[in-house]
Amino acid sequence: MAGHSKWANIKHRKAAQDAKRGKIFTKLIRELTVAARHGGGEPNDNPRLRAAIDKALANNMTKDTIQRAVDRGAGNTEGDDMEEVVYEGYGPEGVAVMVEAMTDNRNRTVSEVRHAFNKQGGNLGTTGSVAFMFHRQGRLTLPEGVTEEAAMEAEPEEIETLEDGRLEVVTSLDSFGAVKDALVEAGLEPTASDVGLYPDNYARIEDAELGRRIIKLVDRLEDLDDVQNVYTNADFSDAIMDELQD
Protein backbone atom coordinates (compact mmCIF):
# COMPACT_ATOMS: atom_id res chain seq x y z
CA MET A 1 0.00 0.00 0.00
CA ALA A 2 2.25 2.74 -1.33
CA GLY A 3 -0.19 5.51 -0.60
CA HIS A 4 -0.20 4.81 3.11
CA SER A 5 3.56 5.15 3.52
CA LYS A 6 3.65 8.47 1.66
CA TRP A 7 0.64 9.91 3.44
CA ALA A 8 2.09 8.77 6.75
CA ASN A 9 5.23 10.81 6.06
CA ILE A 10 3.15 13.96 5.66
CA LYS A 11 1.05 13.15 8.72
CA HIS A 12 4.16 12.60 10.82
CA ARG A 13 5.60 15.98 9.82
CA LYS A 14 2.30 17.65 10.68
CA ALA A 15 2.19 15.84 14.03
CA ALA A 16 5.69 17.10 14.78
CA GLN A 17 4.58 20.66 14.05
CA ASP A 18 1.54 20.24 16.30
CA ALA A 19 3.73 18.84 19.06
CA LYS A 20 5.96 21.89 18.95
CA ARG A 21 2.94 24.10 19.46
CA GLY A 22 1.64 21.90 22.23
CA LYS A 23 -1.64 21.60 20.35
CA ILE A 24 -1.48 17.85 20.03
CA PHE A 25 -1.64 17.43 23.82
CA THR A 26 -5.10 18.99 23.92
CA LYS A 27 -6.36 16.52 21.30
CA LEU A 28 -4.71 13.57 22.99
CA ILE A 29 -6.22 14.45 26.38
CA ARG A 30 -9.68 14.68 24.79
CA GLU A 31 -9.27 11.25 23.22
CA LEU A 32 -8.03 9.72 26.48
CA THR A 33 -10.92 11.18 28.45
CA VAL A 34 -13.64 10.19 25.98
CA ALA A 35 -12.16 6.70 25.44
CA ALA A 36 -12.16 6.10 29.21
CA ARG A 37 -15.68 7.48 29.56
CA HIS A 38 -17.09 5.12 26.93
CA GLY A 39 -15.05 1.98 27.63
CA GLY A 40 -13.77 2.29 31.19
CA GLY A 41 -10.39 3.24 32.60
CA GLU A 42 -8.64 -0.14 32.25
CA PRO A 43 -6.61 -0.21 29.01
CA ASN A 44 -6.43 -4.01 28.95
CA ASP A 45 -10.22 -4.11 28.68
CA ASN A 46 -10.58 -1.01 26.46
CA PRO A 47 -8.78 -1.28 23.08
CA ARG A 48 -9.54 2.32 22.18
CA LEU A 49 -8.04 3.58 25.44
CA ARG A 50 -4.97 1.37 24.97
CA ALA A 51 -4.38 2.87 21.53
CA ALA A 52 -4.85 6.39 22.90
CA ILE A 53 -2.36 5.78 25.73
CA ASP A 54 0.21 4.38 23.31
CA LYS A 55 -0.18 7.46 21.10
CA ALA A 56 0.12 9.80 24.07
CA LEU A 57 3.29 8.08 25.28
CA ALA A 58 4.74 8.24 21.75
CA ASN A 59 4.21 12.01 21.87
CA ASN A 60 6.08 12.28 25.19
CA MET A 61 3.05 12.92 27.38
CA THR A 62 3.86 12.11 31.00
CA LYS A 63 2.18 9.13 32.67
CA ASP A 64 0.73 11.43 35.34
CA THR A 65 -0.97 13.60 32.70
CA ILE A 66 -2.32 10.51 30.96
CA GLN A 67 -3.66 9.08 34.22
CA ARG A 68 -5.42 12.33 35.13
CA ALA A 69 -7.18 12.36 31.75
CA VAL A 70 -8.18 8.70 32.13
CA ASP A 71 -9.45 9.29 35.67
CA ARG A 72 -11.59 12.21 34.51
CA GLY A 73 -13.16 10.09 31.81
CA ALA A 74 -13.69 7.00 33.94
CA GLY A 75 -15.21 9.07 36.74
CA ASN A 76 -17.46 11.08 34.44
CA THR A 77 -16.54 14.19 36.39
CA GLU A 78 -15.55 16.40 33.47
CA GLY A 79 -15.96 16.55 29.74
CA ASP A 80 -19.44 14.99 29.64
CA ASP A 81 -20.62 17.81 27.37
CA MET A 82 -18.21 16.69 24.65
CA GLU A 83 -19.66 14.52 21.90
CA GLU A 84 -17.99 12.78 18.99
CA VAL A 85 -19.00 13.60 15.44
CA VAL A 86 -17.64 12.51 12.05
CA TYR A 87 -17.84 14.62 8.90
CA GLU A 88 -17.39 13.35 5.37
CA GLY A 89 -16.45 15.38 2.34
CA TYR A 90 -14.53 15.85 -0.85
CA GLY A 91 -11.31 17.74 -1.35
CA PRO A 92 -9.96 19.18 -4.60
CA GLU A 93 -10.64 16.91 -7.61
CA GLY A 94 -12.94 14.70 -5.53
CA VAL A 95 -10.37 13.32 -3.06
CA ALA A 96 -12.24 11.64 -0.19
CA VAL A 97 -11.82 13.19 3.27
CA MET A 98 -12.95 11.98 6.71
CA VAL A 99 -12.92 14.37 9.69
CA GLU A 100 -13.24 13.17 13.29
CA ALA A 101 -14.17 15.84 15.82
CA MET A 102 -15.10 16.26 19.48
CA THR A 103 -17.33 19.20 20.26
CA ASP A 104 -19.65 20.81 22.79
CA ASN A 105 -21.35 22.79 20.00
CA ARG A 106 -22.26 20.95 16.79
CA ASN A 107 -23.41 24.10 15.01
CA ARG A 108 -20.08 25.83 15.56
CA THR A 109 -18.06 22.81 14.50
CA VAL A 110 -19.98 21.98 11.33
CA SER A 111 -19.81 25.65 10.30
CA GLU A 112 -16.03 25.71 10.75
CA VAL A 113 -15.53 22.40 8.95
CA ARG A 114 -17.73 23.47 6.02
CA HIS A 115 -15.85 26.76 5.75
CA ALA A 116 -12.50 24.93 5.65
CA PHE A 117 -13.71 22.68 2.82
CA ASN A 118 -15.10 25.62 0.85
CA LYS A 119 -11.95 27.73 1.21
CA GLN A 120 -9.79 24.98 -0.31
CA GLY A 121 -12.01 24.00 -3.21
CA GLY A 122 -13.76 21.09 -1.54
CA ASN A 123 -17.21 20.51 -0.14
CA LEU A 124 -18.78 18.91 2.91
CA GLY A 125 -20.71 15.78 1.99
CA THR A 126 -23.63 13.93 3.50
CA THR A 127 -23.39 11.05 5.96
CA GLY A 128 -22.24 7.93 4.13
CA SER A 129 -20.89 9.77 1.10
CA VAL A 130 -17.29 8.57 1.59
CA ALA A 131 -17.29 6.56 4.84
CA PHE A 132 -17.71 3.29 2.92
CA MET A 133 -14.22 3.82 1.46
CA PHE A 134 -12.52 3.73 4.89
CA HIS A 135 -12.10 1.13 7.63
CA ARG A 136 -10.70 1.53 11.15
CA GLN A 137 -7.46 -0.40 11.57
CA GLY A 138 -4.39 -0.59 13.74
CA ARG A 139 -1.10 -0.34 11.84
CA LEU A 140 2.37 -1.06 13.21
CA THR A 141 5.50 -0.42 11.16
CA LEU A 142 8.32 -2.88 11.86
CA PRO A 143 12.08 -2.21 11.79
CA GLU A 144 14.07 -2.88 8.67
CA GLY A 145 15.09 -6.52 8.29
CA VAL A 146 12.13 -8.11 10.09
CA THR A 147 10.82 -11.06 8.09
CA GLU A 148 7.19 -11.81 7.37
CA GLU A 149 7.55 -15.15 9.09
CA ALA A 150 8.68 -13.47 12.31
CA ALA A 151 5.87 -10.91 12.15
CA MET A 152 3.27 -13.64 11.65
CA GLU A 153 4.02 -14.95 15.15
CA ALA A 154 2.03 -11.99 16.51
CA GLU A 155 -1.06 -13.23 14.62
CA PRO A 156 -1.95 -10.00 12.77
CA GLU A 157 -4.83 -9.78 10.32
CA GLU A 158 -2.52 -8.87 7.47
CA ILE A 159 1.07 -7.90 6.67
CA GLU A 160 1.91 -5.38 3.96
CA THR A 161 5.24 -4.37 2.44
CA LEU A 162 5.97 -0.64 2.26
CA GLU A 163 7.89 0.98 -0.58
CA ASP A 164 11.12 1.01 1.42
CA GLY A 165 10.87 -2.74 2.04
CA ARG A 166 9.81 -2.58 5.68
CA LEU A 167 6.78 -4.54 6.83
CA GLU A 168 3.60 -3.06 8.24
CA VAL A 169 1.32 -5.15 10.41
CA VAL A 170 -2.43 -4.55 10.09
CA THR A 171 -4.82 -5.31 12.96
CA SER A 172 -8.39 -4.65 14.04
CA LEU A 173 -8.98 -2.11 16.80
CA ASP A 174 -9.78 -4.88 19.29
CA SER A 175 -6.57 -6.83 18.60
CA PHE A 176 -4.23 -3.83 18.34
CA GLY A 177 -2.93 -4.02 21.92
CA ALA A 178 -2.46 -7.79 21.91
CA VAL A 179 -0.60 -7.77 18.59
CA LYS A 180 1.64 -4.91 19.68
CA ASP A 181 2.45 -6.68 22.96
CA ALA A 182 3.29 -9.87 21.06
CA LEU A 183 5.62 -8.00 18.73
CA VAL A 184 7.42 -6.30 21.62
CA GLU A 185 7.77 -9.56 23.51
CA ALA A 186 9.31 -11.14 20.40
CA GLY A 187 11.86 -8.32 20.17
CA LEU A 188 10.14 -6.68 17.19
CA GLU A 189 9.47 -3.24 18.68
CA PRO A 190 7.43 -1.23 16.11
CA THR A 191 9.01 1.99 14.89
CA ALA A 192 5.55 3.54 14.51
CA SER A 193 2.03 2.51 15.48
CA ASP A 194 -1.40 4.06 15.23
CA VAL A 195 -5.10 3.33 15.04
CA GLY A 196 -7.09 5.24 12.46
CA LEU A 197 -9.27 5.22 9.37
CA TYR A 198 -7.55 3.83 6.29
CA PRO A 199 -9.00 3.76 2.76
CA ASP A 200 -9.43 0.56 0.79
CA ASN A 201 -8.05 2.29 -2.30
CA TYR A 202 -6.00 5.43 -2.88
CA ALA A 203 -6.40 8.25 -5.43
CA ARG A 204 -3.09 8.84 -7.21
CA ILE A 205 -1.93 12.48 -7.10
CA GLU A 206 0.55 13.42 -9.85
CA ASP A 207 0.07 17.20 -9.98
CA ALA A 208 2.11 19.36 -7.56
CA GLU A 209 -0.44 22.16 -7.31
CA LEU A 210 -3.22 19.68 -6.57
CA GLY A 211 -1.03 18.08 -3.91
CA ARG A 212 -0.50 21.44 -2.22
CA ARG A 213 -4.23 22.18 -2.26
CA ILE A 214 -4.98 18.85 -0.59
CA ILE A 215 -2.35 19.44 2.09
CA LYS A 216 -3.70 22.96 2.70
CA LEU A 217 -7.19 21.53 3.20
CA VAL A 218 -5.93 18.92 5.67
CA ASP A 219 -3.89 21.55 7.53
CA ARG A 220 -6.83 23.93 7.72
CA LEU A 221 -9.11 21.19 9.06
CA GLU A 222 -6.55 19.92 11.60
CA ASP A 223 -5.97 23.45 12.87
CA LEU A 224 -9.61 23.67 14.00
CA ASP A 225 -9.82 23.28 17.78
CA ASP A 226 -12.65 20.74 17.62
CA VAL A 227 -11.04 18.47 15.02
CA GLN A 228 -9.21 15.39 16.30
CA ASN A 229 -8.14 13.58 13.12
CA VAL A 230 -8.30 14.03 9.35
CA TYR A 231 -7.96 11.17 6.86
CA THR A 232 -7.83 11.14 3.06
CA ASN A 233 -7.34 8.64 0.27
CA ALA A 234 -4.73 10.79 -1.50
CA ASP A 235 -1.66 8.92 -2.77
CA PHE A 236 1.20 11.24 -3.70
CA SER A 237 3.67 10.26 -6.41
CA ASP A 238 7.40 10.29 -5.60
CA ALA A 239 7.88 13.50 -7.59
CA ILE A 240 5.10 15.25 -5.69
CA MET A 241 6.45 14.01 -2.37
CA ASP A 242 9.83 15.55 -3.19
CA GLU A 243 8.19 18.91 -3.88
CA LEU A 244 6.07 18.72 -0.74
CA GLN A 245 9.15 18.17 1.42
CA ASP A 246 9.80 21.91 1.24
Side-chain angles (χ1 to χ4, degrees), residues 100-135:
E100 294 180 328
M102 291 186 186
T103 181
D104 58 0
N105 186 326
R106 277 178 174 253
N107 291 334
R108 177 194 67 225
T109 306
V110 71
S111 176
E112 292 176 345
V113 169
R114 181 181 291 111
H115 181 68
F117 271 104
N118 292 341
K119 288 290 288 185
Q120 298 303 326
N123 62 280
L124 186 63
T126 57
T127 300
S129 57
V130 301
F132 68 93
M133 303 181 191
F134 294 80
H135 290 91

Side-chain angles (χ1 to χ4, degrees), residues 166-211:
R166 289 180 301 162
L167 299 180
E168 186 168 70
V169 167
V170 181
T171 79
S172 67
L173 172 61
D174 288 343
S175 63
F176 174 78
V179 171
K180 185 172 184 178
D181 287 343
L183 290 169
V184 172
E185 289 172 8
L188 308 177
E189 180 82 40
T191 58
S193 62
D194 197 12
V195 172
L197 292 173
Y198 293 90
D200 294 326
N201 297 289
Y202 284 82
R204 186 73 167 174
I205 307 299
E206 301 280 0
D207 180 74
E209 180 56 32
L210 175 57

